[in-house]
Amino acid sequence: MVRSRRGGRTLSDRSLTPKQRTTSGLLTELLEQHLDPAYEVAVRRRKADPPSRRELRAGVLARNLVLLVIGTLLATAFIRASADAPQAARTRAALAADARDQAALTDRLQRDAVGLRGRVSAERAKALAGSAAGSQAQARLDALEVAAGLVPLRGPGLIVTVGDAGGKKDPVTGDAPPADPNDAGRIQDRDLAEIVNALWAAGAEAISVDGQRLSPASTIRAAGQAILVDFRPVSSPYEVRAIGHSGRMQALFTESRIARDFTTFVQLYGMQFTTRRTSAITVPAAPATSLRFASPRGVTR
Amino acid sequence: MIAVAALIIGLVLGLVLQPTVPVVLQPYLPIAVVAALDAVFGGLRANLDGIFDDRVFVISFVANVLVAAMIVFLGDQLGVGGQLSTGVVVVLGIRIFGNVAAIRRHLFRA
């Protein structure tokens, strides 16, 4: 707006000549002048010099031709846009299906491996049973296998369940908000690792996280928004099972720093955290750790 | 009426023939659509204002599409294609909005 005081009156830029108006800023013009100014100019030109019949007919033809082109353009753009969208959705669905298939395959192979390992143990036990040295070796093997987490175990213990804070809804759509890795109410990989460590410290003999048995070489880490236990994703709520003296373990675990932290988190962020004693839980076998570089002392490979 | 018929025939032609857009021109399709909409709504408003002119309409459409495409092309060459596309869409979008508002006032007196 160009304002000038002349005799107490305020002049808006509308009353200025076009030449003066050019100084009033591109943005004002953009926001106020929507119609092509050429239309007004054309009106004046037509008044001064009315077009002939031929010119009029040519104009109508050109106008309809352009409208035809515009229609085709819009339809083409529509087809392209609608062809692209399902393509993206299809790709995503195919990738998700691939991921599920591969996960199912790993599960099956894992089960096969556990079954085969059982048969190997049975055969080995039969072979070793013959001699005194053999049964001694068998006893040692059994103890080592249990220690390495290579056999499923059962016994009394503790089930610790932790979960992300939930229940928050988008005030507009009513949907749950997309998972935010920086959300304070989300369980981090470190939280799970600390819970597991506290359970070991409390005397747990075997631990599984969401059905994944922890072996001495297990890892709990984060990749993007997912928490991976031994490179397999686990999801909230996380169930941590620990076999051990359930009473003593519960007492020690409840005293641990992470358990006390979580009691606060429950109040602060609405995260889930429960500890339950059970008389009989089972944990599956852990996948065998394949050693590529390490070898036992005194044995050459 | 003939104008509306021409537009609809164009739409049907596009849907039936499904012309393939050359790969070189594909980035300009969205910009061309916005430019075309600007020309159409500008023409419709001028028509309601009683100042429609064939020459202005045809030239404004062709010029709109060419200038918009040129800006995007230049932007692509300079590595700021996305930003310039946004600029074109914002400017034309404001004009479309203004013209549609004027058309609405014409039709509904509100």
Side-chain angles (χ1 to χ4, degrees):
Chain A
M1 282 280 197
V2 176
R3 283 163 183 275
S4 64
R5 296 218 144 246
R6 197 189 292 162
R9 277 206 337 218
T10 307
L11 288 177
S12 78
D13 58 351
R14 285 192 177 282
S15 59
L16 300 173
T17 64
K19 197 169 183 184
Q20 282 170 301
R21 208 186 290 159
T22 52
T23 58
S24 73
L26 203 60
L27 280 176
T28 322
E29 186 165 320
L30 176 65
L31 291 172
E32 293 186 349
Q33 182 100 41
H34 300 129
L35 190 60
D36 207 321
Y39 280 116
E40 285 173 41
V41 177
V43 169
R44 283 203 289 277
R45 195 193 59 224
R46 255 188 322 215
K47 264 187 200 144
D49 172 27
S52 68
R53 283 185 76 89
R54 243 189 77 227
E55 277 175 336
L56 273 179
R57 223 174 302 141
V60 170
L61 188 70
R63 174 216 303 172
N64 289 321
L65 218 61
V66 164
L67 281 168
L68 200 76
V69 169
I70 290 175
T72 318
L73 188 68
L74 293 182
T76 311
F78 169 77
I79 288 169
R80 268 196 60 78
S82 57
D84 280 355
Q87 186 60 44
R90 270 202 298 274
T91 312
R92 199 164 42 237
L95 284 174
D98 274 4
R100 268 196 305 277
D101 286 354
Q102 294 301 323
L105 183 69
T106 1
D107 280 348
R108 202 163 48 81
L109 292 174
Q110 183 69 51
R111 272 199 306 277
D112 284 2
V114 168
L116 289 172
R117 202 185 303 132
R119 270 176 53 194
V120 168
S121 309
E123 292 293 326
R124 198 176 47 200
K126 239 194 296 182
L128 289 174
S131 64
S135 21
Q136 229 173 29
Q138 179 63 42
R140 258 195 79 209
L141 268 174
D142 285 348
L144 286 173
E145 275 188 346
V146 169
L150 292 180
V151 282
L153 295 175
R154 61 194 297 278
L158 217 57
I159 298 180
V160 178
T161 313
V162 286
D164 294 338
K168 255 190 290 179
K169 295 245 169 85
D170 189 301
V172 179
T173 59
D175 293 335
D180 174 9
N182 300 320
D183 186 356
R186 261 180 78 86
I187 308 280
Q188 307 285 336
D189 52 331
R190 217 175 37 215
D191 298 333
L192 271 187
E194 282 191 33
I195 287 172
V196 166
N197 284 341
L199 285 168
W200 285 130
E205 292 168 357
I207 295 180
S208 73
V209 178
D210 260 12
Q212 299 264 37
R213 173 76 178 277
L214 298 184
S215 74
S218 284
T219 55
I220 298 179
R221 45 187 294 276
Q225 302 193 356
I227 297 182
L228 305 179
V229 174
D230 277 345
F231 300 103
R232 290 181 54 77
V234 291
S235 59
S236 170
Y238 309 93
E239 191 190 67
V240 184
R241 294 176 168 208
I243 295 182
H245 189 294
S246 58
R248 208 173 57 211
M249 223 160 51
Q250 187 175 30
L252 284 170
F253 178 69
T254 329
E255 283 294 299
S256 69
R257 196 177 56 79
I258 185 73
R260 272 182 307 190
D261 280 355
F262 258 94
T263 326
T264 326
F265 294 163
V266 169
Q267 290 163 5
L268 276 181
Y269 306 116
M271 290 156 99
Q272 304 169 45
F273 177 65
T274 55
T275 310
R276 192 157 55 87
R277 272 167 68 173
T278 52
S279 53
I281 49 173
T282 55
V283 292
T289 320
S290 53
L291 301 178
R292 266 174 290 175
F293 300 103
S295 56
R297 244 169 48 159
V299 178
T300 45
R301 292 176 71 147
Chain B
M1 271 307 104
I2 299 174
V4 176
L7 192 63
I8 290 173
I9 291 172
L11 281 171
V12 172
L13 270 182
L15 288 175
V16 171
L17 297 179
Q18 307 212 348
T20 44
V21 186
V23 180
V24 190
L25 293 180
Q26 270 175 14
Y28 305 109
L29 197 60
I31 292 293
V33 166
V34 178
L37 284 179
D38 177 55
V40 168
F41 285 116
L44 187 57
R45 183 193 171 177
N47 191 27
L48 291 170
D49 283 350
I51 55 171
F52 182 80
D53 186 90
D54 289 318
R55 230 180 84 168
V56 175
F57 174 69
V58 172
I59 292 175
S60 80
F61 168 70
V62 174
N64 258 1
V65 171
L66 286 183
V67 170
M70 195 194 71
I71 289 176
V72 174
F73 172 76
L74 263 181
D76 278 341
Q77 300 303 308
L78 295 171
V80 288
Q83 290 90 323
L84 277 183
S85 297
T86 310
V88 169
V89 170
V90 167
V91 169
L92 293 181
I94 289 174
R95 274 173 49 152
I96 291 174
F97 233 87
N99 283 330
V100 170
I103 293 168
R104 185 202 66 208
R105 283 194 290 274
H106 264 291
L107 294 181
F108 302 111
R109 314 239 170 279

